[in-house]
Amino acid sequence: MTNSKLDKPIIGGLLLAAGASSRLGQSKQLVEFDHQPLLRRTLKTLLHSHLNHTMTVLGARAQEHFVVIEHMAADTCINEDWEKGMGHSLKFGMLRLLQAQPALDGVLIAVCDQPFLTTAHIDGLLDQFAHSRHSIVASEYKGIQGVPAIFPQAHFGELMSIGDEAGARKVMAAHADQVILRHLEKGEVDLDTPEDLKHFRQKD
């Protein structure tokens, strides 16, 4: 934990990539963008930022997905119970991240299917958090408040106790008056369905 407002907060990154992409019909982690799988690209984006430590949570097709990031300088954990839901993977990843880095002031939660996420946006969230400390700093796109988002240490307990099928937005909604937003250009672009992917590739 930091002892002074002048100290730079210690922020860990948690990349949730355990889902099976059932609606898409193929692994969104392996969809190519910028000549690389989305999973690798997103992890690279986090690693190039000023995050202090990064943990990736894999689940479905874990070994296949691990191959594309195994040589990268980040920790990886595999949630064998990923089918229980994103909330379960979030809690699983939080536990592993805090075991690896116990003195975190905050955690940034990200997902791997926001192809237009940039390191500059991550660093903008980190800079905002360094000034606000006790606020949740979240991304905003098309009127949506979502991830990537940084949660201060005071909310770790809530993140660790959400329902298995819930997400970090539940904690965000419970503290709406504490949320600071930063716009993420094209943050609304995700790849949940074949139609999403077709539209994405037509614009790519």
Side-chain angles (χ1 to χ4, degrees), residues 157-178:
E158 290 173 83
L159 290 170
M160 293 289 290
S161 61
I162 62 172
D164 285 348
E165 296 184 355
R169 282 182 188 166
K170 183 174 182 180
V171 177
M172 213 180 295
H175 302 279
D177 59 334
Q178 299 176 28

Side-chain angles (χ1 to χ4, degrees), residues 54 92 110:
T54 303
F92 182 87

